[in-house]
PDB file of all heavy atoms in Angstrom:
ATOM      1  N   GLU H 164     154.092 120.573-151.780  1.00 98.00           N
ATOM      2  CA  GLU H 164     152.885 120.942-152.521  1.00 98.00           C
ATOM      3  C   GLU H 164     151.638 120.771-151.662  1.00 98.00           C
ATOM      4  O   GLU H 164     150.743 121.622-151.665  1.00 98.00           O
ATOM      5  CB  GLU H 164     152.749 120.111-153.801  1.00 98.00           C
ATOM      6  CG  GLU H 164     151.545 120.531-154.609  1.00 98.00           C
ATOM      7  CD  GLU H 164     151.424 119.830-155.943  1.00 98.00           C
ATOM      8  OE1 GLU H 164     152.365 119.137-156.364  1.00 98.00           O
ATOM      9  OE2 GLU H 164     150.353 119.992-156.571  1.00 98.00           O
ATOM     10  N   ALA H 165     151.573 119.672-150.904  1.00 97.00           N
ATOM     11  CA  ALA H 165     150.417 119.442-150.025  1.00 97.00           C
ATOM     12  C   ALA H 165     150.322 120.545-148.976  1.00 97.00           C
ATOM     13  O   ALA H 165     149.228 121.054-148.700  1.00 97.00           O
ATOM     14  CB  ALA H 165     150.533 118.078-149.355  1.00 97.00           C
ATOM     15  N   MET H 166     151.459 120.927-148.398  1.00 97.00           N
ATOM     16  CA  MET H 166     151.466 121.987-147.389  1.00 97.00           C
ATOM     17  C   MET H 166     150.975 123.300-147.996  1.00 97.00           C
ATOM     18  O   MET H 166     150.168 124.010-147.383  1.00 97.00           O
ATOM     19  CB  MET H 166     152.869 122.171-146.806  1.00 97.00           C
ATOM     20  CG  MET H 166     153.303 121.026-145.909  1.00 97.00           C
ATOM     21  SD  MET H 166     155.032 121.157-145.384  1.00 97.00           S
ATOM     22  CE  MET H 166     154.910 122.502-144.229  1.00 97.00           C
ATOM     23  N   ALA H 167     151.433 123.615-149.190  1.00 98.00           N
ATOM     24  CA  ALA H 167     151.053 124.871-149.838  1.00 98.00           C
ATOM     25  C   ALA H 167     149.562 124.870-150.196  1.00 98.00           C
ATOM     26  O   ALA H 167     148.849 125.835-149.933  1.00 98.00           O
ATOM     27  CB  ALA H 167     151.903 125.085-151.087  1.00 98.00           C
ATOM     28  N   ARG H 168     149.090 123.773-150.787  1.00 97.00           N
ATOM     29  CA  ARG H 168     147.692 123.722-151.230  1.00 97.00           C
ATOM     30  C   ARG H 168     146.719 123.722-150.054  1.00 97.00           C
ATOM     31  O   ARG H 168     145.640 124.293-150.145  1.00 97.00           O
ATOM     32  CB  ARG H 168     147.456 122.506-152.110  1.00 97.00           C
ATOM     33  CG  ARG H 168     148.114 122.637-153.457  1.00 97.00           C
ATOM     34  CD  ARG H 168     147.748 121.498-154.370  1.00 97.00           C
ATOM     35  NE  ARG H 168     148.372 121.661-155.654  1.00 97.00           N
ATOM     36  CZ  ARG H 168     147.816 122.311-156.677  1.00 97.00           C
ATOM     37  NH1 ARG H 168     146.639 122.860-156.540  1.00 97.00           N
ATOM     38  NH2 ARG H 168     148.445 122.399-157.824  1.00 97.00           N
ATOM     39  N   ALA H 169     147.112 123.077-148.955  1.00 97.00           N
ATOM     40  CA  ALA H 169     146.233 123.022-147.787  1.00 97.00           C
ATOM     41  C   ALA H 169     146.458 124.214-146.854  1.00 97.00           C
ATOM     42  O   ALA H 169     145.759 124.359-145.855  1.00 97.00           O
ATOM     43  CB  ALA H 169     146.460 121.714-147.025  1.00 97.00           C
ATOM     44  N   ARG H 170     147.458 125.024-147.185  1.00 97.00           N
ATOM     45  CA  ARG H 170     147.815 126.183-146.353  1.00 97.00           C
ATOM     46  C   ARG H 170     148.124 125.765-144.920  1.00 97.00           C
ATOM     47  O   ARG H 170     147.648 126.367-143.958  1.00 97.00           O
ATOM     48  CB  ARG H 170     146.712 127.231-146.389  1.00 97.00           C
ATOM     49  CG  ARG H 170     146.526 127.866-147.741  1.00 97.00           C
ATOM     50  CD  ARG H 170     145.544 129.011-147.677  1.00 97.00           C
ATOM     51  NE  ARG H 170     145.412 129.640-148.964  1.00 97.00           N
ATOM     52  CZ  ARG H 170     144.390 129.429-149.794  1.00 97.00           C
ATOM     53  NH1 ARG H 170     143.428 128.608-149.455  1.00 97.00           N
ATOM     54  NH2 ARG H 170     144.336 130.043-150.955  1.00 97.00           N
ATOM     55  N   LEU H 171     148.936 124.721-144.799  1.00 98.00           N
ATOM     56  CA  LEU H 171     149.347 124.234-143.482  1.00 98.00           C
ATOM     57  C   LEU H 171     150.802 124.612-143.265  1.00 98.00           C
ATOM     58  O   LEU H 171     151.582 124.713-144.216  1.00 98.00           O
ATOM     59  CB  LEU H 171     149.150 122.720-143.390  1.00 98.00           C
ATOM     60  CG  LEU H 171     147.690 122.268-143.536  1.00 98.00           C
ATOM     61  CD1 LEU H 171     147.611 120.762-143.673  1.00 98.00           C
ATOM     62  CD2 LEU H 171     146.868 122.743-142.361  1.00 98.00           C
ATOM     63  N   ARG H 172     151.163 124.820-141.995  1.00 97.00           N
ATOM     64  CA  ARG H 172     152.503 125.315-141.700  1.00 97.00           C
ATOM     65  C   ARG H 172     153.505 124.227-141.366  1.00 97.00           C
ATOM     66  O   ARG H 172     154.702 124.421-141.540  1.00 97.00           O
ATOM     67  CB  ARG H 172     152.441 126.313-140.546  1.00 97.00           C
ATOM     68  CG  ARG H 172     151.713 127.591-140.935  1.00 97.00           C
ATOM     69  CD  ARG H 172     151.676 128.551-139.798  1.00 97.00           C
ATOM     70  NE  ARG H 172     150.858 127.948-138.740  1.00 97.00           N
ATOM     71  CZ  ARG H 172     150.598 128.499-137.588  1.00 97.00           C
ATOM     72  NH1 ARG H 172     151.114 129.668-137.291  1.00 97.00           N
ATOM     73  NH2 ARG H 172     149.832 127.914-136.714  1.00 97.00           N
ATOM     74  N   THR H 173     153.032 123.092-140.864  1.00 97.00           N
ATOM     75  CA  THR H 173     153.992 122.070-140.447  1.00 97.00           C
ATOM     76  C   THR H 173     153.775 120.758-141.197  1.00 97.00           C
ATOM     77  O   THR H 173     152.689 120.478-141.700  1.00 97.00           O
ATOM     78  CB  THR H 173     153.892 121.785-138.933  1.00 97.00           C
ATOM     79  OG1 THR H 173     152.643 121.137-138.665  1.00 97.00           O
ATOM     80  CG2 THR H 173     154.012 123.057-138.108  1.00 97.00           C
ATOM     81  N   LYS H 174     154.829 119.972-141.225  1.00 96.00           N
ATOM     82  CA  LYS H 174     154.753 118.654-141.853  1.00 96.00           C
ATOM     83  C   LYS H 174     153.779 117.760-141.088  1.00 96.00           C
ATOM     84  O   LYS H 174     153.003 117.012-141.696  1.00 96.00           O
ATOM     85  CB  LYS H 174     156.133 118.012-141.891  1.00 96.00           C
ATOM     86  CG  LYS H 174     157.113 118.754-142.767  1.00 96.00           C
ATOM     87  CD  LYS H 174     158.511 118.170-142.630  1.00 96.00           C
ATOM     88  CE  LYS H 174     159.517 119.004-143.396  1.00 96.00           C
ATOM     89  NZ  LYS H 174     160.888 118.503-143.193  1.00 96.00           N
ATOM     90  N   THR H 175     153.806 117.862-139.768  1.00 96.00           N
ATOM     91  CA  THR H 175     152.914 117.046-138.940  1.00 96.00           C
ATOM     92  C   THR H 175     151.454 117.348-139.248  1.00 96.00           C
ATOM     93  O   THR H 175     150.647 116.432-139.437  1.00 96.00           O
ATOM     94  CB  THR H 175     153.204 117.278-137.443  1.00 96.00           C
ATOM     95  OG1 THR H 175     154.561 116.895-137.178  1.00 96.00           O
ATOM     96  CG2 THR H 175     152.269 116.461-136.560  1.00 96.00           C
ATOM     97  N   GLU H 176     151.117 118.642-139.307  1.00 97.00           N
ATOM     98  CA  GLU H 176     149.738 119.032-139.639  1.00 97.00           C
ATOM     99  C   GLU H 176     149.335 118.459-141.001  1.00 97.00           C
ATOM    100  O   GLU H 176     148.210 117.986-141.184  1.00 97.00           O
ATOM    101  CB  GLU H 176     149.604 120.555-139.728  1.00 97.00           C
ATOM    102  CG  GLU H 176     149.604 121.278-138.423  1.00 97.00           C
ATOM    103  CD  GLU H 176     149.541 122.788-138.641  1.00 97.00           C
ATOM    104  OE1 GLU H 176     150.215 123.316-139.556  1.00 97.00           O
ATOM    105  OE2 GLU H 176     148.802 123.438-137.886  1.00 97.00           O
ATOM    106  N   THR H 177     150.254 118.510-141.934  1.00 98.00           N
ATOM    107  CA  THR H 177     149.968 118.057-143.288  1.00 98.00           C
ATOM    108  C   THR H 177     149.734 116.558-143.345  1.00 98.00           C
ATOM    109  O   THR H 177     148.774 116.087-143.968  1.00 98.00           O
ATOM    110  CB  THR H 177     151.116 118.457-144.231  1.00 98.00           C
ATOM    111  OG1 THR H 177     151.351 119.860-144.090  1.00 98.00           O
ATOM    112  CG2 THR H 177     150.794 118.137-145.671  1.00 98.00           C
ATOM    113  N   VAL H 178     150.584 115.801-142.678  1.00 97.00           N
ATOM    114  CA  VAL H 178     150.416 114.344-142.662  1.00 97.00           C
ATOM    115  C   VAL H 178     149.124 113.971-141.942  1.00 97.00           C
ATOM    116  O   VAL H 178     148.358 113.125-142.417  1.00 97.00           O
ATOM    117  CB  VAL H 178     151.641 113.647-142.019  1.00 97.00           C
ATOM    118  CG1 VAL H 178     151.380 112.172-141.796  1.00 97.00           C
ATOM    119  CG2 VAL H 178     152.879 113.847-142.880  1.00 97.00           C
ATOM    120  N   GLU H 179     148.852 114.609-140.813  1.00 97.00           N
ATOM    121  CA  GLU H 179     147.622 114.312-140.071  1.00 97.00           C
ATOM    122  C   GLU H 179     146.393 114.647-140.902  1.00 97.00           C
ATOM    123  O   GLU H 179     145.430 113.877-140.947  1.00 97.00           O
ATOM    124  CB  GLU H 179     147.598 115.071-138.742  1.00 97.00           C
ATOM    125  CG  GLU H 179     148.550 114.485-137.733  1.00 97.00           C
ATOM    126  CD  GLU H 179     148.605 115.262-136.432  1.00 97.00           C
ATOM    127  OE1 GLU H 179     148.028 116.382-136.350  1.00 97.00           O
ATOM    128  OE2 GLU H 179     149.225 114.761-135.482  1.00 97.00           O
ATOM    129  N   ARG H 180     146.394 115.789-141.596  1.00 97.00           N
ATOM    130  CA  ARG H 180     145.259 116.168-142.436  1.00 97.00           C
ATOM    131  C   ARG H 180     145.067 115.159-143.554  1.00 97.00           C
ATOM    132  O   ARG H 180     143.954 114.768-143.885  1.00 97.00           O
ATOM    133  CB  ARG H 180     145.483 117.564-143.014  1.00 97.00           C
ATOM    134  CG  ARG H 180     144.434 118.019-144.005  1.00 97.00           C
ATOM    135  CD  ARG H 180     143.107 118.401-143.348  1.00 97.00           C
ATOM    136  NE  ARG H 180     143.262 119.509-142.429  1.00 97.00           N
ATOM    137  CZ  ARG H 180     143.250 120.802-142.765  1.00 97.00           C
ATOM    138  NH1 ARG H 180     143.095 121.161-144.022  1.00 97.00           N
ATOM    139  NH2 ARG H 180     143.387 121.725-141.851  1.00 97.00           N
ATOM    140  N   GLY H 181     146.172 114.713-144.139  1.00 97.00           N
ATOM    141  CA  GLY H 181     146.092 113.712-145.199  1.00 97.00           C
ATOM    142  C   GLY H 181     145.487 112.410-144.711  1.00 97.00           C
ATOM    143  O   GLY H 181     144.644 111.809-145.383  1.00 97.00           O
ATOM    144  N   LEU H 182     145.891 111.981-143.517  1.00 96.00           N
ATOM    145  CA  LEU H 182     145.330 110.759-142.943  1.00 96.00           C
ATOM    146  C   LEU H 182     143.845 110.922-142.654  1.00 96.00           C
ATOM    147  O   LEU H 182     143.042 110.025-142.926  1.00 96.00           O
ATOM    148  CB  LEU H 182     146.086 110.376-141.666  1.00 96.00           C
ATOM    149  CG  LEU H 182     147.533 109.944-141.871  1.00 96.00           C
ATOM    150  CD1 LEU H 182     148.238 109.791-140.521  1.00 96.00           C
ATOM    151  CD2 LEU H 182     147.617 108.661-142.671  1.00 96.00           C
ATOM    152  N   GLU H 183     143.465 112.084-142.120  1.00 96.00           N
ATOM    153  CA  GLU H 183     142.044 112.351-141.852  1.00 96.00           C
ATOM    154  C   GLU H 183     141.233 112.307-143.145  1.00 96.00           C
ATOM    155  O   GLU H 183     140.137 111.742-143.185  1.00 96.00           O
ATOM    156  CB  GLU H 183     141.875 113.716-141.176  1.00 96.00           C
ATOM    157  CG  GLU H 183     142.368 113.749-139.757  1.00 96.00           C
ATOM    158  CD  GLU H 183     142.472 115.160-139.191  1.00 96.00           C
ATOM    159  OE1 GLU H 183     142.233 116.142-139.939  1.00 96.00           O
ATOM    160  OE2 GLU H 183     142.791 115.284-137.999  1.00 96.00           O
ATOM    161  N   GLU H 184     141.780 112.893-144.210  1.00 95.00           N
ATOM    162  CA  GLU H 184     141.078 112.908-145.495  1.00 95.00           C
ATOM    163  C   GLU H 184     140.920 111.492-146.051  1.00 95.00           C
ATOM    164  O   GLU H 184     139.874 111.159-146.605  1.00 95.00           O
ATOM    165  CB  GLU H 184     141.812 113.798-146.501  1.00 95.00           C
ATOM    166  CG  GLU H 184     141.755 115.269-146.172  1.00 95.00           C
ATOM    167  CD  GLU H 184     140.339 115.839-146.248  1.00 95.00           C
ATOM    168  OE1 GLU H 184     139.535 115.367-147.070  1.00 95.00           O
ATOM    169  OE2 GLU H 184     140.051 116.757-145.469  1.00 95.00           O
ATOM    170  N   LEU H 185     141.947 110.660-145.903  1.00 95.00           N
ATOM    171  CA  LEU H 185     141.850 109.270-146.360  1.00 95.00           C
ATOM    172  C   LEU H 185     140.775 108.510-145.593  1.00 95.00           C
ATOM    173  O   LEU H 185     139.979 107.763-146.178  1.00 95.00           O
ATOM    174  CB  LEU H 185     143.196 108.558-146.185  1.00 95.00           C
ATOM    175  CG  LEU H 185     144.250 108.856-147.231  1.00 95.00           C
ATOM    176  CD1 LEU H 185     145.599 108.295-146.788  1.00 95.00           C
ATOM    177  CD2 LEU H 185     143.850 108.260-148.570  1.00 95.00           C
ATOM    178  N   ILE H 186     140.747 108.705-144.288  1.00 93.00           N
ATOM    179  CA  ILE H 186     139.745 108.033-143.451  1.00 93.00           C
ATOM    180  C   ILE H 186     138.341 108.501-143.820  1.00 93.00           C
ATOM    181  O   ILE H 186     137.426 107.691-143.982  1.00 93.00           O
ATOM    182  CB  ILE H 186     140.045 108.275-141.959  1.00 93.00           C
ATOM    183  CG1 ILE H 186     141.315 107.534-141.566  1.00 93.00           C
ATOM    184  CG2 ILE H 186     138.856 107.858-141.090  1.00 93.00           C
ATOM    185  CD1 ILE H 186     141.889 107.958-140.225  1.00 93.00           C
ATOM    186  N   ASN H 187     138.164 109.814-143.976  1.00 92.00           N
ATOM    187  CA  ASN H 187     136.853 110.349-144.334  1.00 92.00           C
ATOM    188  C   ASN H 187     136.391 109.849-145.696  1.00 92.00           C
ATOM    189  O   ASN H 187     135.216 109.525-145.878  1.00 92.00           O
ATOM    190  CB  ASN H 187     136.860 111.876-144.298  1.00 92.00           C
ATOM    191  CG  ASN H 187     136.938 112.406-142.889  1.00 92.00           C
ATOM    192  OD1 ASN H 187     136.547 111.737-141.939  1.00 92.00           O
ATOM    193  ND2 ASN H 187     137.461 113.607-142.735  1.00 92.00           N
ATOM    194  N   ALA H 188     137.306 109.767-146.647  1.00 91.00           N
ATOM    195  CA  ALA H 188     136.947 109.265-147.977  1.00 91.00           C
ATOM    196  C   ALA H 188     136.506 107.806-147.898  1.00 91.00           C
ATOM    197  O   ALA H 188     135.531 107.406-148.541  1.00 91.00           O
ATOM    198  CB  ALA H 188     138.129 109.413-148.934  1.00 91.00           C
ATOM    199  N   ALA H 189     137.207 107.012-147.093  1.00 90.00           N
ATOM    200  CA  ALA H 189     136.836 105.602-146.938  1.00 90.00           C
ATOM    201  C   ALA H 189     135.472 105.473-146.267  1.00 90.00           C
ATOM    202  O   ALA H 189     134.665 104.614-146.645  1.00 90.00           O
ATOM    203  CB  ALA H 189     137.900 104.863-146.125  1.00 90.00           C
ATOM    204  N   ARG H 190     135.196 106.325-145.290  1.00 85.00           N
ATOM    205  CA  ARG H 190     133.891 106.308-144.624  1.00 85.00           C
ATOM    206  C   ARG H 190     132.778 106.677-145.599  1.00 85.00           C
ATOM    207  O   ARG H 190     131.716 106.067-145.606  1.00 85.00           O
ATOM    208  CB  ARG H 190     133.877 107.269-143.439  1.00 85.00           C
ATOM    209  CG  ARG H 190     134.657 106.758-142.262  1.00 85.00           C
ATOM    210  CD  ARG H 190     134.640 107.772-141.133  1.00 85.00           C
ATOM    211  NE  ARG H 190     135.367 107.258-139.987  1.00 85.00           N
ATOM    212  CZ  ARG H 190     135.857 108.003-139.024  1.00 85.00           C
ATOM    213  NH1 ARG H 190     135.674 109.323-139.050  1.00 85.00           N
ATOM    214  NH2 ARG H 190     136.512 107.472-138.026  1.00 85.00           N
ATOM    215  N   ARG H 191     133.028 107.697-146.432  1.00 84.00           N
ATOM    216  CA  ARG H 191     132.025 108.090-147.423  1.00 84.00           C
ATOM    217  C   ARG H 191     131.759 106.951-148.406  1.00 84.00           C
ATOM    218  O   ARG H 191     130.610 106.701-148.767  1.00 84.00           O
ATOM    219  CB  ARG H 191     132.475 109.344-148.180  1.00 84.00           C
ATOM    220  CG  ARG H 191     132.340 110.624-147.369  1.00 84.00           C
ATOM    221  CD  ARG H 191     132.553 111.857-148.218  1.00 84.00           C
ATOM    222  NE  ARG H 191     133.847 111.897-148.860  1.00 84.00           N
ATOM    223  CZ  ARG H 191     134.950 112.404-148.307  1.00 84.00           C
ATOM    224  NH1 ARG H 191     134.909 112.917-147.092  1.00 84.00           N
ATOM    225  NH2 ARG H 191     136.087 112.408-148.967  1.00 84.00           N
TER     226      ARG H 191
END
Side-chain angles (χ1 to χ4, degrees):
E164 183 175 350
M166 289 173 72
R168 289 186 179 270
R170 294 187 178 102
L171 298 170
R172 292 180 295 180
T173 69
K174 295 173 186 176
T175 299
E176 285 177 319
T177 307
V178 171
E179 286 177 351
R180 175 74 62 84
L182 293 172
E183 289 168 356
E184 291 295 328
L185 282 169
I186 291 166
N187 289 335
R190 286 178 179 160
R191 285 190 301 272

